[in-house]
Amino acid sequence: MKNLLSLAFLTLVAAASADTPMQRVRQFRQTHEAALLAEFEQLVAIPNVAADTAGLRRTAQFIQGMMRRRGIAAELLAAPTPGVPPVVFGEVRVPGATRTVIFYAHYDGQPVNPAQWREGLQPFRPQLASGPLDRGGQLVAAPVAGQPLSPDWRLYARSASDDKAGVMAILSGYEALTASKLRPKVNVKFFFEGEEERGSPHLAEILARHKARLASDVWVICDGPVHQSGRKQVVFGARGDVNMRLHVYGPRRPLHSGHYGNWAPNPALALTRLLASMEDSTGRVRVAGFYDDVTPLSSAEKAALAQVPNLDETIRQELGFARAYGPGQSLVELLNQPSLNINGMQSANVGAQAANVIPTTASAVLDLRLVPGNDAQRQVQKVVRHIEAQGFHVLSAEPTDAERARYPLLVRVQAEPGYNAQRTRLDLPIARQIIAAVQTTVAEPVVVLPTMGGSLPLYVFEQQLQAQTITVPVANYDNNQHAENENIRLGNLWEGLETMAAIMLLK
Amino acid sequence: MKNLLSLAFLTLVAAASADTPMQRVRQFRQTHEAALLAEFEQLVAIPNVAADTAGLRRTAQFIQGMMRRRGIAAELLAAPTPGVPPVVFGEVRVPGATRTVIFYAHYDGQPVNPAQWREGLQPFRPQLASGPLDRGGQLVAAPVAGQPLSPDWRLYARSASDDKAGVMAILSGYEALTASKLRPKVNVKFFFEGEEERGSPHLAEILARHKARLASDVWVICDGPVHQSGRKQVVFGARGDVNMRLHVYGPRRPLHSGHYGNWAPNPALALTRLLASMEDSTGRVRVAGFYDDVTPLSSAEKAALAQVPNLDETIRQELGFARAYGPGQSLVELLNQPSLNINGMQSANVGAQAANVIPTTASAVLDLRLVPGNDAQRQVQKVVRHIEAQGFHVLSAEPTDAERARYPLLVRVQAEPGYNAQRTRLDLPIARQIIAAVQTTVAEPVVVLPTMGGSLPLYVFEQQLQAQTITVPVANYDNNQHAENENIRLGNLWEGLETMAAIMLLK
């Protein structure tokens, strides 16, 4: 620890005499880390799950305040549909700039189940730790004034990485420039969405309504993790995504498993037989036509994939499993295929509340990731046809008495609208310039990825605005995004600040 | 409703001039229903789940009080193992009686998840309804003094049927006799256990310690439901039971389903594939040797089964499913086979808390019912071998890092000790006498069942005391036993009182 502190001190001294723009940006950050962290903790303390409309509104208003403190004229853009969380929008025109970059992040978070969070953690009470808590990190008290912050510390909270880290990196990147008497070289716009984790159901209508104000040369999407190696990455697409909810019906009321145990049909068994039919033991999806429609990778994309460092073995060991799916294929190759994942399933109870019953229902939530060529609803229909082929009668509502009497296997299927995948061409001039800008902040080669595994509603920007999107993530890869114990590594927050500032200095 | 009241009034008038013992018992009950119900409501209001040691002790003490109010010297029998819920024991010696009947019921209840109970119901706040709430019944206010109680009313609460109804029927049956200046014809003992729903892990040691005091000619087990036709039944055995808990392990931490979605293995998929391999679509268990070891039914047992009214079609329609398991076999035939039931399963979340993750674990609870010839642990081992045959490495604890690195499929299996099935011979003289005694209370033929589908630790009585057991249930069959919204039909409580009194009048 002592060595680390000395190093931080030396870096600070060195920075004081620096004069390249990126050195000045770094110096600003190093002298303001405590204040930036304090502001970020306030931001992540505001609940932002989809069900909490008031929390989402407070989050948007807080971000508006952050922008105004930085001298950005910020406003809340409403969707045509009432009740939709607003977009927080801001714009900075730079005299002489010929191009406009619009920065995107989202301020809403995935649902939380506080009971699943580790002891000492709560989703909306940010908590620092000396490292990842599942690998030896310890909770640490709030730092006192002047105490240096280790870049390896983690801040635990819902959306600490996904995606309030994006909001913070963009706004503090801008602040670092202006506070250092630097000016962006491009016109800068800010666009913070509040419905991304719900699948951005109103993004298209927001873009359409405010089309003129959102004009830009490129959207920089600040979301998702950097490469598992810790190297920065620039990503040219995202998978599409659509969720399906399945509810299998058994007897109308829960039954004693002894008195009715091998006579009344068990919906949990029916669900397991259905789910098991969908994938083989290597994760290969057995739904007919599931891998059809896929647009092949271009030769530039294949070449980029070949350059991505392969850390699969390291990650596999760290995650503690013996064999990955997709034998013979790397993680980045597999991300270019559609997937089917069981997000969760439940029937009656396990653990202390388990009882000897035949459950009345069994439920599962599926997540279908899509790649270019796939269509969300077409992919859903393939799964529906597969379910029917297993002998199920597919319902769109609770079963009626007549349906219960007629069909031995009943499942209600609810599909979200979802959205399709998108990929921006690697060889666009703006693409090369953004890669070059990010490269000015680090010595190691920036990773160029044709698509991320995660999903962002990028196709909507293309569809509504004919806009190019390029994703530049900031979070650490081991951030527990979408799950309990979500966290951001402080170093990633600071490096993200530098990345965003560098892009604003794009010539 | 008016007709029903008139009928009740006429019955009351008729009873006032009655003079057979059973008529006097009925008259007592009819004039004391309100007081009996009030006492029963106090009994079911006391929490009695296994985890609530204090609640179980209060339940035992309350029952001791009920016995003392009835003039029975009651005491709490401790198990040799400390901390075990006591048995509530009492004894009444009858001058001139040559035989002793010991009445068994249990006062503990199955675990509860209050969130799953219907709106307006709470597990330990008894609530009356005008009928079954899932078929048109409505909540009703507490009756005022003198208001007649419909026998079709239900009282909703955990253990209202399983098995505080048994405790109540036995003690109020005894009370009805003595208050009517009648005397049991046999010595009567009372034995109320507090660990039945946990599988009676300390019953054997309690029986062994108190062997001399528990001597009897027969144990009458008052637990379980009457026949679905509403007819009273006498049951000569119970299936054995053993629970297994399975935990399948995936990645060490929850992963974003997009970034890792078809690369990191999903434990929910592995669990569904495992469970689906255990049973076919007709509920036939595919575990090797699962149906071996079964002792064939005697010709007397086969003859009794042939006499049981077959209501399968009616029940199936009422329960709202199209096809029962075990094609071509009736419910009572299937109860004479071992079964495997999925009691519950869970992986991550469904519903509002569902998130786009690869879960870290997936769990299921299985319930194996056993018939004579099966051994609980031998049956468990068949399932374990089946799990291994599906490629799983079976763990007895959380996986180590080395196990995670080595085995692609990891499952932790926890099996309860469980207990075996038991059947008493149908042709014993005491068996015939008990059937005859129960028959004195009703006109319709009493159903004689070789085994119930549910489980009771009857083999322990045989093993420890060489005792005969005969089960005489009282609850309505549609009681939601073991599940949410458990209830007792008031008429069944009153008929149970008469049944127990009749057995005490055994010559």
Side-chain angles (χ1 to χ4, degrees):
Chain A
M1 193 60 178
K2 195 158 188 294
N3 284 348
L4 196 66
L5 296 189
S6 311
L7 188 65
F9 180 68
L10 289 175
T11 313
L12 191 63
V13 171
S17 59
D19 60 357
T20 74
M22 284 318 299
Q23 284 167 327
R24 286 160 67 184
V25 163
R26 184 165 301 175
Q27 180 184 351
F28 167 82
R29 183 266 294 174
Q30 286 167 330
T31 51
H32 293 82
E33 279 181 0
L36 291 168
L37 179 62
E39 184 186 40
F40 187 57
E41 286 181 343
Q42 287 181 57
L43 175 61
V44 293
I46 309 172
N48 66 339
V49 298
D52 186 350
T53 319
L56 285 170
R57 177 154 283 273
R58 280 172 52 218
T59 309
Q61 288 164 342
F62 187 87
I63 294 170
Q64 191 179 24
M66 290 172 71
M67 291 167 76
R68 289 182 173 163
R69 281 196 295 282
R70 286 161 173 84
I72 305 163
E75 57 189 301
L76 303 183
L77 303 185
T81 301
V84 172
V87 164
V88 192
F89 177 77
E91 182 173 2
V92 174
R93 287 173 192 263
V94 176
T98 58
R99 288 186 302 176
T100 301
V101 177
I102 182 163
F103 289 84
Y104 167 99
H106 65 88
Y107 64 80
D108 61 314
Q110 280 271 321
V112 283
N113 183 347
Q116 291 170 339
W117 285 56
R118 183 184 272 260
E119 201 181 326
L121 299 183
Q122 291 179 36
F124 298 108
R125 191 175 294 180
Q127 169 65 51
L128 284 169
S130 61
L133 290 172
D134 55 346
R135 278 165 292 149
Q138 300 292 323
L139 301 184
V140 296
V144 294
Q147 180 186 350
L149 304 174
S150 162
D152 287 324
W153 281 11
R154 305 283 175 121
L155 185 72
Y156 281 85
R158 169 55 86 229
S159 293
S161 58
D162 181 18
D163 182 32
K164 287 178 177 174
V167 174
M168 190 68 197
I170 293 165
L171 294 182
S172 56
Y174 177 79
E175 180 182 10
L177 287 184
T178 53
S180 307
K181 312 289 178 212
L182 294 163
R183 220 167 41 184
K185 301 274 174 61
V186 292
N187 296 313
V188 177
K189 294 181 180 176
F190 304 88
F191 185 98
F192 302 124
E193 190 200 350
E195 280 197 323
E196 196 273 343
E197 299 294 3
R198 285 190 58 207
S200 300
H202 302 93
L203 181 59
E205 65 179 49
I206 293 172
L207 297 184
R209 173 184 267 195
H210 303 284
K211 188 166 181 172
R213 307 186 65 185
L214 301 176
S216 72
D217 291 274
V218 69
W219 285 70
V220 168
I221 309 292
C222 186
D223 195 7
V226 301
H227 192 259
Q228 290 93 344
S229 61
R231 277 159 65 176
K232 292 190 179 182
Q233 63 186 1
V234 179
V235 186
F236 286 80
R239 290 204 276 193
D241 194 20
V242 58
N243 284 120
M244 298 179 72
R245 294 166 193 269
L246 313 183
H247 305 273
V248 174
Y249 295 88
R252 214 187 291 269
R253 62 169 191 271
L255 296 174
H256 186 291
S257 63
H259 296 311
Y260 296 94
N262 33 348
W263 179 75
N266 186 316
L269 177 64
L271 178 64
T272 62
R273 291 178 55 82
L274 175 59
L275 295 174
S277 74
M278 292 188 183
E279 278 183 86
D280 71 15
S281 62
T282 70
R284 181 82 186 170
V285 180
R286 297 167 69 190
V287 172
F290 197 80
Y291 298 101
D292 297 351
D293 320 326
V294 175
T295 305
L297 293 169
S298 71
S299 54
E301 289 165 340
K302 284 182 188 163
L305 279 184
Q307 294 293 317
V308 178
N310 187 326
L311 290 181
D312 291 10
E313 270 305 289
T314 311
I315 306 168
R316 183 188 60 69
Q317 284 167 27
E318 185 212 313
L319 292 176
F321 59 84
R323 193 156 65 204
Y325 284 162
Q329 290 173 288
S330 69
L331 172 53
V332 291
E333 284 170 334
L334 288 165
L335 300 184
N336 289 286
Q337 294 181 5
S339 73
L340 185 158
N341 181 65
I342 304 173
N343 285 357
M345 59 183 190
Q346 180 157 26
S347 184
N349 298 295
V350 299
Q353 292 178 328
N356 287 332
V357 293
I358 302 168
T360 54
T361 59
S363 304
V365 180
L366 304 182
D367 175 34
L368 311 184
R369 299 283 168 171
L370 313 166
V371 297
N374 290 149
D375 174 74
Q377 290 308 310
R378 199 164 62 227
Q379 205 75 345
V380 165
Q381 282 312 310
K382 292 175 194 169
V383 176
V384 169
R385 281 196 298 273
H386 176 88
I387 294 170
E388 289 170 339
Q390 308 308 305
F392 278 85
H393 180 71
V394 174
L395 303 164
S396 55
E398 293 280 309
T400 62
D401 290 351
E403 287 163 337
R404 283 182 167 278
R406 181 167 175 191
Y407 301 105
L409 293 170
L410 284 172
V411 62
R412 180 179 185 181
V413 176
Q414 296 165 285
E416 305 284 332
Y419 55 77
N420 292 345
Q422 194 275 340
R423 273 208 304 265
T424 294
R425 286 175 56 190
L426 293 181
D427 52 6
L428 297 177
I430 191 85
R432 299 184 177 284
Q433 289 167 325
I434 285 183
I435 296 169
V438 177
Q439 191 66 73
T440 64
T441 66
V442 281
E444 294 169 317
V446 168
V447 174
V448 175
L449 210 57
T451 188
M452 67 166 69
S455 300
L456 291 168
L458 302 181
Y459 84 99
V460 181
F461 298 99
E462 192 172 32
Q463 199 175 58
Q464 295 296 326
L465 308 177
Q466 295 75 50
Q468 305 294 342
T469 52
I470 294 176
T471 300
V472 187
V474 302
N476 40 300
Y477 81 101
D478 58 348
N479 61 18
N480 280 26
Q481 196 180 347
H482 286 201
E484 58 271 23
N485 311 329
E486 181 176 348
N487 66 86
I488 183 83
R489 182 179 162 274
L490 297 191
N492 281 68
L493 211 51
W494 310 145
E495 288 158 20
L497 175 163
E498 294 179 12
T499 304
M500 295 301 130
I503 295 172
M504 292 175 199
L505 292 173
L506 197 72
K507 276 172 201 150
Chain B
M1 192 63 175
K2 195 156 186 297
N3 283 349
L4 195 66
L5 295 188
S6 311
L7 189 65
F9 180 70
L10 289 176
T11 314
L12 190 64
V13 171
S17 59
D19 59 357
T20 74
M22 285 320 297
Q23 285 168 325
R24 287 161 66 184
V25 163
R26 184 165 301 174
Q27 181 183 351
F28 167 83
R29 183 266 294 173
Q30 287 168 329
T31 51
H32 292 83
E33 280 182 358
L36 291 168
L37 179 60
E39 185 186 40
F40 187 57
E41 287 181 342
Q42 287 181 57
L43 175 60
V44 293
I46 310 172
N48 66 340
V49 299
D52 186 350
T53 320
L56 285 170
R57 177 154 284 272
R58 281 172 50 219
T59 310
Q61 287 164 343
F62 186 86
I63 294 170
Q64 191 179 24
M66 291 172 73
M67 292 167 76
R68 290 183 173 162
R69 282 196 296 280
R70 286 160 174 84
I72 305 162
E75 58 189 300
L76 303 182
L77 302 185
T81 301
V84 172
V87 164
V88 191
F89 177 77
E91 182 172 1
V92 176
R93 286 172 193 265
V94 176
T98 57
R99 288 185 303 176
T100 301
V101 177
I102 182 163
F103 288 84
Y104 168 100
H106 66 88
Y107 63 80
D108 61 314
Q110 280 271 321
V112 283
N113 183 347
Q116 291 170 339
W117 286 55
R118 184 185 272 260
E119 200 182 327
L121 299 183
Q122 291 180 36
F124 299 108
R125 191 175 293 179
Q127 169 66 51
L128 284 168
S130 61
L133 291 172
D134 54 347
R135 279 165 290 148
Q138 299 294 323
L139 301 185
V140 296
V144 294
Q147 180 185 349
L149 304 173
S150 162
D152 287 323
W153 281 11
R154 306 281 175 122
L155 185 72
Y156 281 85
R158 170 54 88 230
S159 294
S161 58
D162 181 18
D163 181 31
K164 287 177 176 173
V167 174
M168 189 68 196
I170 293 165
L171 294 182
S172 57
Y174 177 78
E175 181 182 9
L177 287 184
T178 54
S180 308
K181 311 291 178 210
L182 295 162
R183 218 163 47 179
K185 301 272 175 58
V186 292
N187 298 312
V188 178
K189 294 180 181 178
F190 304 88
F191 185 98
F192 301 124
E193 191 201 348
E195 279 197 324
E196 196 272 343
E197 298 295 2
R198 284 191 58 208
S200 300
H202 301 94
L203 181 60
E205 67 179 48
I206 293 172
L207 297 183
R209 173 185 267 195
H210 303 285
K211 188 167 182 170
R213 307 186 65 185
L214 302 176
S216 72
D217 292 275
V218 69
W219 285 69
V220 168
I221 310 293
C222 186
D223 195 5
V226 301
H227 192 259
Q228 290 93 343
S229 61
R231 278 160 63 177
K232 292 190 179 183
Q233 64 185 0
V234 180
V235 186
F236 285 81
R239 291 204 276 193
D241 194 22
V242 58
N243 284 121
M244 299 179 70
R245 292 166 194 269
L246 313 183
H247 305 272
V248 174
Y249 294 89
R252 213 187 292 270
R253 63 169 190 272
L255 296 174
H256 186 292
S257 63
H259 296 312
Y260 296 94
N262 34 348
W263 180 76
N266 186 316
L269 177 64
L271 179 65
T272 63
R273 292 177 55 83
L274 175 60
L275 295 174
S277 74
M278 292 187 183
E279 279 182 87
D280 71 15
S281 63
T282 70
R284 181 82 185 170
V285 180
R286 297 167 68 188
V287 171
F290 197 79
Y291 297 101
D292 297 350
D293 319 328
V294 175
T295 305
L297 292 170
S298 71
S299 54
E301 289 166 341
K302 284 182 188 162
L305 279 184
Q307 295 294 316
V308 178
N310 186 326
L311 291 182
D312 291 10
E313 271 306 289
T314 311
I315 307 169
R316 182 188 62 68
Q317 284 167 26
E318 185 211 312
L319 293 175
F321 58 83
R323 193 156 66 203
Y325 284 163
Q329 290 172 288
S330 69
L331 172 53
V332 290
E333 284 170 333
L334 288 165
L335 300 184
N336 289 286
Q337 294 180 6
S339 73
L340 185 158
N341 181 64
I342 303 173
N343 286 355
M345 60 182 190
Q346 180 157 28
S347 184
N349 298 295
V350 298
Q353 292 177 327
N356 287 333
V357 293
I358 302 168
T360 54
T361 59
S363 303
V365 179
L366 304 182
D367 175 34
L368 311 184
R369 299 282 167 173
L370 312 167
V371 297
N374 290 149
D375 173 74
Q377 290 308 309
R378 199 164 64 225
Q379 206 74 345
V380 165
Q381 281 312 309
K382 292 175 194 169
V383 177
V384 169
R385 282 197 298 273
H386 176 89
I387 294 171
E388 289 170 339
Q390 308 309 307
F392 278 84
H393 179 71
V394 173
L395 304 164
S396 55
E398 292 280 309
T400 62
D401 289 352
E403 287 163 337
R404 282 183 167 278
R406 181 165 175 193
Y407 301 105
L409 292 170
L410 284 172
V411 63
R412 180 179 184 181
V413 177
Q414 295 164 287
E416 305 285 332
Y419 55 77
N420 292 344
Q422 194 274 340
R423 273 208 302 264
T424 294
R425 286 175 56 191
L426 293 182
D427 52 6
L428 297 177
I430 191 85
R432 299 184 177 283
Q433 289 167 325
I434 285 183
I435 296 168
V438 177
Q439 191 66 74
T440 65
T441 65
V442 281
E444 295 169 316
V446 168
V447 174
V448 175
L449 209 59
T451 188
M452 67 166 69
S455 300
L456 291 168
L458 302 181
Y459 85 100
V460 180
F461 299 99
E462 191 171 33
Q463 198 175 58
Q464 295 295 325
L465 308 177
Q466 295 75 50
Q468 305 294 343
T469 52
I470 294 176
T471 300
V472 187
V474 302
N476 41 299
Y477 83 100
D478 58 347
N479 61 19
N480 279 26
Q481 197 181 347
H482 287 201
E484 57 272 22
N485 312 330
E486 181 175 348
N487 65 86
I488 184 84
R489 182 180 162 273
L490 296 191
N492 282 69
L493 211 50
W494 311 145
E495 288 158 19
L497 174 164
E498 295 181 12
T499 304
M500 295 301 130
I503 295 172
M504 291 176 199
L505 292 173
L506 198 71
K507 277 172 200 152

